[in-house]
Amino acid sequence: MGIDLKEYITLPILLILFLLVISLIFIFPVLNMIILGIILAYGIRPVAKRIQSKLKFESISILLAMIVVIIPLILLIAYIVFVISGFLSTFYVSNQNFDVNTALSQISYYIPDNPFLNENNFVQTIESAGKYVLNYLVSKLGSLANITLDLFVLICSVYYFVKDGDNCYEFIKSFVPDEHMGFFNRTVKSIEDVLKSIFYGHFLTSVIIGIFGAVGYSLLGYPYGIFLGVITGILQLIPIFGPWPIYWALAIMDAFNENYPRVIVVLLFGFFLSLVDMYIRPAISSHHADIHPLILLVGFLAGPLVYGIVGFIIGPLILGITYVILDNFRKELKESK
């Protein structure tokens, strides 16, 4: 039986498609913030509902829930800044006669001879890298207006999706034909599982690794053990890094200080952290969503290239949702045969 396209390509449908394309063009510059707002709203909504049961004021409950969720992040950033500033001030007081060029020359002494990387070239390379980073930061300060706009859109998106998320869901659901309602419900459930997989499988894993790292580094006698654990947990969120930069850096420092027993111990502890990650992450993720780890890994790696730092969340989410939608569609086709 042939399909009569005239039944589907009508003037209202064409008008709707045209307006949807135009609207997408308008919102595309802030689309990543809207998507991130939806994700954060999903996590903040239960907190807001619990607060609302006590206060009875929806708007105040949502704002308080947003503050409750954001406070740990603010405290974490403040702690990192406090520790780094304290370390730099202590280092400056203890090394007022510190000469950067001399230090770089000493470092280059330990690097194997290389015609393309002699002492002068090494110092010039470090200076060029420093200038590049500085120029990059200055250029980012020039886009402060765009950053402010993104934050404003993000806050508004979180607030209104928490407040009117049910209405948005019912609005979308009203367009779904009755014969496809099962597919729609399964897809929504699968999307929730993907969200839980990302939140619990990756963020919870980073928290666990960070706690293990803080305890382990403190027991091994390293200064700033808690700070090292926090940085380890943050690096754990980035698949290409993980905890290895921290424990390898500590091992190299101990090797320079000729503390060879602790070199072996910290490397063994670092390998233990990596093994814990390999066990915990799949166990938690697979408990919530049956998605191949490679899909989420590609999302984590490719997401930042498209959406910037928020791509670490949006990337795996989009690929995960695409996978579950295709999988549910495949199942629906099998059931219809």
Side-chain angles (χ1 to χ4, degrees):
M1 179 183 294
I3 299 176
D4 188 4
L5 295 178
K6 293 182 180 180
E7 296 180 2
Y8 300 95
I9 304 178
T10 61
L11 181 60
I13 296 297
L14 291 176
L15 180 60
I16 291 173
L17 291 176
F18 173 76
L19 292 175
L20 286 175
V21 171
I22 296 299
S23 299
L24 183 61
I25 293 174
F26 274 110
I27 69 173
F28 187 78
V30 294
L31 183 60
N32 57 341
M33 291 294 106
I34 295 176
I35 297 175
L36 184 60
I38 296 174
I39 299 171
L40 294 178
Y42 177 80
I44 293 175
R45 182 180 172 83
V47 181
K49 292 296 182 182
R50 183 176 294 273
I51 296 176
Q52 187 179 350
S53 64
K54 306 294 182 181
L55 294 181
K56 308 299 181 183
F57 297 102
E58 185 179 24
S59 297
I60 297 177
S61 300
I62 295 173
L63 293 175
L64 289 177
M66 293 171 64
I67 293 174
V68 168
V69 173
I70 291 175
I71 281 178
L73 180 60
I74 296 176
L75 292 177
L76 179 64
I77 295 174
Y79 172 75
I80 294 175
V81 172
F82 174 77
V83 172
I84 293 177
S85 61
F87 172 78
L88 291 177
S89 62
T90 303
F91 179 83
Y92 176 75
V93 172
S94 304
N95 301 271
Q96 293 185 0
N97 297 324
F98 179 75
D99 187 358
V100 176
N101 292 327
T102 302
L104 292 176
S105 299
Q106 292 177 351
I107 295 174
S108 63
Y109 174 78
Y110 294 96
I111 298 177
D113 293 336
N114 190 317
F116 301 101
L117 192 64
N118 55 36
E119 179 177 333
N120 294 329
N121 288 338
F122 179 76
V123 174
Q124 293 176 0
T125 302
I126 296 297
E127 292 177 349
S128 299
K131 291 179 181 179
Y132 174 80
V133 172
L134 181 61
N135 292 333
Y136 176 80
L137 294 176
V138 171
S139 66
K140 285 300 180 183
L141 290 177
S143 61
L144 184 60
N146 293 332
I147 296 175
T148 304
L149 176 61
D150 287 343
L151 290 176
F152 179 75
V153 172
L154 176 62
I155 293 173
C156 292
S157 299
V158 172
Y159 175 82
Y160 284 109
F161 278 114
V162 173
K163 184 176 185 294
D164 300 318
D166 290 336
N167 296 333
C168 181
Y169 172 76
E170 293 298 331
F171 177 78
I172 297 174
K173 188 176 181 180
S174 64
F175 289 97
V176 180
D178 293 337
E179 61 269 21
H180 297 299
M181 191 58 66
F183 169 77
F184 177 78
N185 291 331
R186 287 196 302 268
T187 300
V188 172
K189 178 63 171 60
S190 299
I191 292 175
E192 291 181 356
D193 292 339
V194 172
L195 283 171
K196 291 178 181 179
S197 174
I198 293 175
F199 275 113
Y200 292 105
H202 297 280
F203 289 94
L204 184 58
T205 300
S206 69
V207 172
I208 295 174
I209 296 298
I211 293 174
F212 280 175
V215 174
Y217 296 138
S218 299
L219 292 177
L220 289 174
Y222 290 105
Y224 306 104
I226 297 177
F227 174 75
L228 293 174
V230 170
I231 301 301
T232 300
I234 293 175
L235 291 176
Q236 183 64 35
L237 291 173
I238 309 174
I240 58 176
F241 287 107
W244 67 265
I246 300 298
Y247 63 78
W248 273 108
L250 294 175
I252 292 173
M253 290 175 57
D254 284 336
F256 276 116
N257 294 326
E258 298 182 353
N259 189 353
Y260 299 113
R262 196 163 69 169
V263 171
I264 299 175
V265 174
V266 73
L267 287 178
L268 291 175
F269 176 69
F271 296 151
F272 164 76
L273 291 180
S274 299
L275 291 175
V276 168
D277 170 52
M278 294 173 60
Y279 173 77
I280 293 179
R281 189 190 299 269
I284 298 177
S285 298
S286 60
H287 179 72
H288 295 282
D290 186 17
I291 300 178
H292 196 281
L294 180 62
I295 296 176
L296 299 180
L297 177 62
V298 172
F300 270 105
L301 296 177
L305 299 177
V306 180
Y307 290 107
I309 190 171
V310 298
F312 285 116
I313 301 176
I314 297 178
L317 177 65
I318 291 178
L319 292 185
I321 290 176
T322 303
Y323 170 78
V324 298
I325 289 177
L326 291 173
D327 188 50
N328 287 330
F329 181 69
R330 176 182 60 84
K331 293 177 180 177
E332 186 176 76
L333 289 178
K334 285 186 176 181
E335 293 174 358
S336 62
K337 293 181 179 180

